Amino acid sequence: MDNKLPDLQVAWVDACAKFKEATGFDLAASPESKSVNGLDIVNKFNAKKAKNDEAKQKIDRAKTAIGNTIKAVQRVGTIAAQGVSMVFGSPATITMSCISFLVDAGFEYKNIAHNIEDLFSQIATIMERFQIYRDHEQIMAPPMIRVAHRLLLAVVSVCRLCIESMNRNPVKKFFSIALFSSDGGIRAQLGFLKSLEAEELQMKGTLTLVATETNKRDTAKGFEEIKAAEAKIASSVSQLSASSTDQKVLNELNDKLGVDDAASKAEHRACQDKLVSGSCSWLRSDTQYLSWSDAANQQESLLVLGGDEGYGKSFTQAAIIRDLMMRYPQGRHDTSRVSVAYYYLTRVSKRDTHSSKTGPSIKDALRSWAWQILNNDLFYRKDMTAMFKQSSDLGDLKETWQKLFLNHADKDASFFLLLDGTHELEATELNDLVTLLKALSSVGANAYRLKIMITSRAQFVQRLIQTPLATSTMDLRDKTHIDMEKHIQEKASTLAIFQKETPQVRDLKAQVCSGLLEAVNGNFLLADTKLREISSKYDAEEVLQIVERTKEGANMNDSIREDIHQANRTLNAREMGNLNTLLLWVMYAEWWLQNYELESILFVQQGRSSLQPLYNEIRDKFSAFFELNGEADWQFFSVNLKHDSIKEYFENLSEERHSAETTATKTLTKGEIFMVKHFVEKLCEQDIYERLGFGDFFDQKLSQSDTGVTVDCENAHATIALGCLRALTEIFSDEAEGLAFYARYQLASHLKQIDLDSVDPRLKAELGPRLVKLFRDTPAIQKSNESAWLPWSYNDDGVREVLRLFRSSAVMKKVTGSEAKDQEWVHAILDHAAPEIALLEDAVRVKGNLWLTSESSDDVLKHFLWLYGYHNKVESTSGSDVERVEEVPSKEQIEVEDIQGVLQMVQGLQISELSKPMSLRNVGVTYRDCGHITVAIHSLDQALAIDTDYLLARVGLALAYAQETSQGPGADWKAALYHNDIAIERVKTGVRIFSDVEPEAQLEFLLMDKALWLGKIGQYEESRKIYKDLLQKAPENDELRLECIYTFYDAQYYTDVVEMLQALGEEVDQETQKTRLSRFFHAHVSDHKYHSTVFRAFKQVGHMLEIKGHYQRAMEDASKEKNKQNSTTTYYDLTYYYAVMLYNHGNTATEKEEAIKLWERIITLTKSDHNMSETRILSARRLAKVYIAKAVEAGRGSALATELLSKLQIFTTGLNGENSDDDDDWGVGLSRAHVRSLLGRYHSAAGEIEKAREQLRPDIEVGIKLLSDDDPENDYQGYLKLSDALMYFGDDANAIAAWCMIQPTEGLPPLNTTSDSKSSPRAEPEIADADMSLLAANGSTVGPKSDTSLGQTKNGSEELSSFQPPPLKRSNTSFLARKLTGPLGNQCDGRCGRAWTYADDIYVCRECIDVQFDERCLVKLRQGEIGRDICDRDHKFMHVPAWDLASAERAHQGKVLVGDQVLEVNAWLEGIKREWGLLDTDHDEVKPSVDAAV
């Protein structure tokens, strides 16, 4: 195990010991024999008999939650197993045993189903995102392994705590969900799971951090381009997404909009998940809502849902979204233009956010709304594309509103725009919202095509009503009576005090329920709070007193005030100080803080660490104010306010104090108040003391004491900013890193919110010196710029805030009194013509030096990207046309000129000699990692010319030659091997490449690269020898074995492949007691290439029956769930590929039918899975094609055809049988447009022409409308719509004609002037002589000559005055500079790298959705040589002819070739409209949906 990983085995031993102590069950003693099959766990619920339908539904929901968790556990277990060798069982096995034990123990309780559903739904939801990286655990280790173990350990702890909770509550034989959800320890464990999601979200970034020259690379793929791994993750998630061209457009629009609505989506899903069945049923009969939600009703534009915290506004919005999407299905892509978009204004909650913005923003809501609409409305999408082509600047908020919405209010479309969480907005944002609504009213009647719903608290409702819009206001207190009654009844039923079956208890419960229903007046939060108070009482009279006080007007403030009084009485000075600090940070931090961050904050503030975890203090002392979620490991708890009312209480109290400051005397200390209180208590009798109200008086004084519970709200952001600056500029131990991490991201946010007119002058003066140090001190510069996502060179808003503070004399007070050089520096910055550039000049020198002297290529790239941000800042402010880059770009976006510009800038600073080998190597690594291989090789050659023994450059050069790019020269494997061999020989002698990597470890990776590259050039025997030697040293390395199998297969050593797998089948894994072949299958279950290779290898040697047996055995082992791979999802994946094998390679009809049933089973069993696994989507794709093919074969009107067509409906429904929307990240199968296409193809093939027209007419209509505007740049979208629909209809002539109208948009003018289109059937782009000579010069030279090339002296002694790269505009593509380009973004599905930007020699599958090949890959498909599960060899294709100049000239002249006739485009389109009955379409009329036919 990597020595940087924690001792995971010790952690598991400890977890097992705690579980045994709690349960008596020893997980470490032969867990394989004690663990049960995952399906057996699920079947426990099947055996559980339900008394009624409601109970059965509860059991079914619990079973689903358990099943989802099992899938997640096994997937995560696959990764975790690589991090530790455990003699007593795998992590997944132990975790599964815990779950089984908990279920068995829970069945003693009446309402266990409620608890299990609630608990495991949360666990599965948290873990499921981690699963999508399962194919890349070898790349991600060790960070992924660490997180995987923590996830599973947390699940084990959750099970243990649940069992302990049940054991502590033996009388609660009839508990409901309160037992688990109310347990602080269990909530803490779940919080820890959520906290790990933040670490998991860093995994994608780890892809580019671990596969480098520092031996953290893929054990089999060596130093290959990591971008390929990233792309594989993205593409493997769903193969049923929009077409590649559509996705290209969407990606571009997303970039332009800058949408990041993950927090809003998460909030919506959370509200949806918590909606109880039947909630908000009042909406169906509410006349106000029904009137507003009628898209055809243009009388009402604004609906306001009013209510304070706890009145259910967010849940009501979720119910409304659900209702609207049921009534107006999204994703239809036809002419029924009704879109539903929502946004939840919520404070950022994740640590992977790369933004310094201060809280939620109205502009974010506008962008998110636009993004959702353009995903649904093709016409709006086209408008947005045209708008952004004119200008990518949306302008200020009002301009954004105008461009995104008001300009489209007169279009034939209706937009429902829903906004929740306005209480999170600052006052300026609230004013902006009102301004936008007023602007909407100015567009007149067309405003009512924009239907806006806003949830608001009472104080803002009046401002919304006063806008000129036609507004309906709904007070939720008047609407939710039925929901509240049900809520109180259910909550009361969970309380222990109401569990006795006696008349007195039943009567008390009835009084409580009826009394609270009246008293809380619609406030669900207040109802919950009072029920919690009631649950702790022992006497019926006390219970009724709580109800009566609530009726008399007791509210949340009364409860908060009581909690404060209690804290003032009981906490000592240290505890009080901690509580006040925590309250301030938790209330005003920009993301939800975790326990380790708060520990770090206290450490920086106090200068010492506590001997006890902060968790204990929060749990035991501060639980009235905070909620804790996580495991009993102080590092990972999230700490949140109990409710928002706490923040509102302190802010109101702070305002009251502020207004009374002018007359108030100095605040008394807590000690002084206690002294007087004690004196008065001695003087007065107790009854007199109470009647005179002295107790309340002293409690009030204590609450206002400077040592009592208090939050300095006016100075909150200045206080937090000062703490951040201390963490970044002072020297602390590692315990301060939690705060430093927060500070790197959010310091600028807090600086922006400092009001210089109201902040305490003492705080302002403390900020100045630390701000100066932040930008002058080298360690501070390094520490504050550690963030790879938001360094100061891109943080323009933060820089402006720093300059604002520098201009304040109050902030600079202590700077002017310090050393003169700091004063002079500040004055020089402020007097500079460009102060925002001058502020970063010291940082540029530090980062420039680090760029040229770091060993790690990841650090090299990180430092370069910082410098690029600064260089771009300089260029964009110098009066040039360079556009400012506001976010850190990806390395693929960096051009050669960008690197050269940064290099020139650094060279001018004279901070490092560019002639040094390390400097040249690092420049070369930068070029290489950004994909500019030719220039990279040049720079690395220069480094070796100076020092031939410099192995960092040598390995870097080998990797450069081995790197394959989508454009430019291919890999030069021989050159890569040559330089790799030199490094191998040197490392064998003990020479290090990296200063922190042992030679033995580095040698292993160099040999793996060599074996891989030898296979690339056909030297299979030598490659095989290296692989076998490596496998002898590491026989358990299955990833290495997989690469060996691939090499054997490429060499056509099919027998060797079969024999290697047969040998694995004969070995029994000592850990799992299963064959190693099953383990091998499970480990690569989602690898398309693996299954394809295995299928074909066994088929080549005639062993198909044997491979069927191997699959069946692997599936059986998965279902037994006795090792890390046997999750339910693993079983489904194996089932899917087994079905593929049966269908594609089976010899009988029975085998094909079995395959269909297996795919249908996957669809049925995964339908309720929120993660919408790739397996379900692949199965849906397969079935859709099979259904249509079999329906055509069965003949129209047949019972079988009718049955098959009806089955297609499952692909247009959501997870719960609802109409699907576009809010599912990974899709839910096939869209409605896809289903229409498939049904149209069926009816056409069956000769049912009119039915085919009925299905495809919406797509024809959309295509015609897209072509009817005045924007020719976006016409390709209309032609694509037409071509697809016409192809499925069987009208090839018109379909091909539409395809051929998608022409190049760049490169045509020079070709038209140099070529004769009439005599040239096909013209290729010209290549200039200079480009040709350069292309020849870029040929690789293998051998010592490459070390002394490019004009260097043989011994490398010649001094280099500056780095001179080849004069290329783009390193790999200069000779392609004049290549024709068009608007498409299609790629060959054979993954050969062929891409089409215009119609040019494409073979389009008639039976698949958005599948196309070039001729070479089509031949491979026919021969069964496409190495992925895509299309079928017997499918039929439509050929789009090769592009020629004649085609371009026709299109330019407004003509189109249809069959052998040349027609005017307009006449051609009119003919299509006539043929499809669209000539008399009334554009104001929304055509009836064809979904009923679907």
Side-chain angles (χ1 to χ4, degrees), residues 653-830:
L653 188 63
S654 184
E655 289 179 8
E656 293 172 6
R657 289 179 183 171
H658 183 70
S659 62
E661 277 182 357
T662 54
T663 58
T665 58
K666 181 180 178 182
T667 305
L668 294 171
T669 67
K670 191 175 182 180
E672 292 169 333
I673 296 171
F674 270 122
M675 180 179 67
V676 177
K677 181 175 182 286
H678 180 70
F679 178 74
V680 173
E681 285 175 339
K682 291 293 183 182
L683 290 177
C684 295
E685 295 292 337
Q686 183 65 29
D687 60 335
I688 298 176
Y689 181 89
E690 292 178 354
R691 286 189 320 204
L692 290 175
F694 282 133
D696 293 338
F697 171 79
F698 285 118
D699 285 343
Q700 182 182 15
K701 287 297 182 182
L702 283 169
S703 69
Q704 297 172 353
S705 168
D706 59 346
T707 56
V709 180
T710 184
V711 180
D712 187 359
C713 299
E714 291 90 349
N715 296 308
H717 291 290
T719 302
I720 292 176
L722 186 59
C724 291
L725 285 168
R726 289 193 62 196
L728 295 175
T729 60
E730 298 180 22
I731 299 175
F732 290 103
S733 65
D734 291 342
E735 290 176 89
E737 180 54 31
L739 177 53
F741 178 84
Y742 176 87
R744 292 184 196 110
Y745 285 99
Q746 301 298 351
L747 170 60
S749 300
H750 295 290
L751 294 177
K752 187 174 183 178
Q753 295 176 84
I754 294 175
D755 184 353
L756 292 174
D757 294 331
S758 61
V759 170
D760 189 328
R762 294 170 296 180
L763 275 174
K764 288 188 284 190
E766 290 296 326
L767 290 170
R770 289 179 172 84
L771 280 173
V772 171
K773 188 175 183 180
L774 187 70
F775 293 94
R776 297 209 69 192
D777 180 66
T778 296
I781 289 171
Q782 290 180 267
K783 188 184 292 187
S784 64
N785 285 282
E786 278 296 308
S787 165
W789 298 106
L790 195 67
W792 283 103
S793 60
Y794 295 87
N795 193 351
D796 294 349
D797 287 341
V799 168
R800 282 190 286 269
E801 293 307 318
V802 171
L803 294 173
R804 175 177 72 94
L805 296 175
F806 276 0
R807 294 187 179 98
S808 167
S809 58
V811 174
M812 291 293 105
K813 181 179 180 180
K814 288 192 175 183
V815 176
T816 56
S818 62
E819 297 183 27
K821 60 180 182 180
D822 286 342
Q823 302 174 40
E824 295 171 0
W825 181 81
V826 172
H827 289 311
I829 296 296
L830 297 177

Side-chain angles (χ1 to χ4, degrees), residues 1056-1073:
D1056 286 1
V1057 173
V1058 171
E1059 289 177 352
M1060 181 176 289
L1061 293 176
Q1062 287 173 335
L1064 290 178
E1066 295 171 358
E1067 296 182 36
V1068 177
D1069 189 290
Q1070 294 303 313
E1071 178 185 347
T1072 64
Q1073 294 301 305

Side-chain angles (χ1 to χ4, degrees), residues 876-1142:
S876 63
T877 57
S878 62
S880 66
D881 295 331
V882 176
E883 186 177 348
R884 176 61 171 141
V885 177
E886 298 180 349
E887 296 182 354
V888 180
S890 66
K891 59 186 179 181
E892 291 79 19
Q893 294 175 289
I894 300 297
E895 304 288 356
V896 170
E897 298 93 328
D898 298 328
I899 301 173
Q900 292 175 350
V902 171
L903 186 61
Q904 220 170 25
M905 177 187 72
V906 173
Q907 188 176 4
L909 297 175
Q910 299 180 344
I911 57 177
S912 179
E913 294 183 33
L914 293 178
S915 60
K916 289 183 176 180
M918 174 166 271
S919 297
L920 291 168
R921 176 261 181 182
N922 287 5
V923 172
V925 164
T926 306
Y927 279 119
R928 185 198 70 201
D929 288 352
C930 294
H932 308 300
I933 306 305
T934 305
V935 196
I937 290 172
H938 175 80
S939 181
L940 292 162
D941 267 334
Q942 284 188 308
L944 288 174
I946 297 172
D947 182 358
T948 59
D949 293 330
Y950 187 39
L951 291 188
L952 271 176
R954 182 73 64 184
V955 172
L957 184 58
L959 295 174
Y961 277 119
Q963 186 160 320
E964 297 180 276
T965 57
S966 59
Q967 293 181 332
D972 188 337
W973 304 112
K974 291 184 179 179
L977 284 164
Y978 168 78
H979 293 288
N980 194 63
D981 282 343
I982 294 175
I984 288 173
E985 294 305 315
R986 295 298 310 281
V987 171
K988 285 181 177 179
T989 65
V991 177
R992 288 176 180 260
I993 298 178
F994 296 92
S995 59
D996 61 344
V997 180
E998 293 294 329
E1000 293 80 5
Q1002 190 64 64
L1003 180 61
E1004 181 181 350
F1005 296 111
L1006 292 172
L1007 288 171
M1008 284 190 288
D1009 284 341
K1010 181 175 182 177
L1012 178 66
W1013 298 344
L1014 284 170
K1016 296 288 187 180
I1017 61 174
Q1019 295 185 17
Y1020 298 113
E1021 284 298 328
E1022 189 174 351
S1023 174
R1024 176 162 62 173
K1025 183 179 183 302
I1026 295 174
Y1027 275 129
K1028 287 191 172 181
D1029 289 343
L1030 289 171
L1031 280 172
Q1032 284 182 352
K1033 297 177 182 178
E1036 297 298 315
N1037 190 333
D1038 281 344
E1039 293 304 318
L1040 181 61
R1041 189 181 309 279
L1042 181 64
E1043 286 301 326
C1044 184
I1045 287 174
Y1046 290 157
T1047 301
F1048 289 175
Y1049 181 83
D1050 291 340
Q1052 298 183 9
Y1053 298 159
Y1054 305 123
T1055 301
D1056 286 1
V1057 173
V1058 171
E1059 289 177 352
M1060 181 176 289
L1061 293 176
Q1062 287 173 335
L1064 290 178
E1066 295 171 358
E1067 296 182 36
V1068 177
D1069 189 290
Q1070 294 303 313
E1071 178 185 347
T1072 64
Q1073 294 301 305
K1074 297 178 181 176
T1075 66
R1076 287 194 57 197
L1077 183 56
S1078 283
R1079 187 186 78 175
F1080 199 67
F1081 267 87
H1082 296 166
H1084 307 292
V1085 66
S1086 296
D1087 188 334
H1088 295 290
K1089 184 179 179 181
Y1090 168 74
H1091 293 286
S1092 176
T1093 301
V1094 170
F1095 288 170
R1096 292 186 174 91
F1098 275 83
K1099 188 172 184 178
Q1100 288 290 338
V1101 298
H1103 286 193
M1104 286 304 296
L1105 185 61
E1106 181 181 348
I1107 190 60
K1108 287 172 63 175
H1110 290 320
Y1111 267 88
Q1112 291 167 349
R1113 173 63 186 273
M1115 291 162 60
E1116 181 184 355
D1117 287 344
S1119 67
K1120 291 178 180 177
E1121 223 165 303
K1122 289 186 179 179
N1123 67 26
K1124 61 185 178 297
Q1125 289 85 17
N1126 290 335
S1127 70
T1128 305
T1129 304
T1130 302
Y1131 177 83
Y1132 289 149
D1133 287 345
L1134 283 169
T1135 302
Y1136 170 78
Y1137 282 107
Y1138 179 59
V1140 170
M1141 186 192 72
L1142 289 175

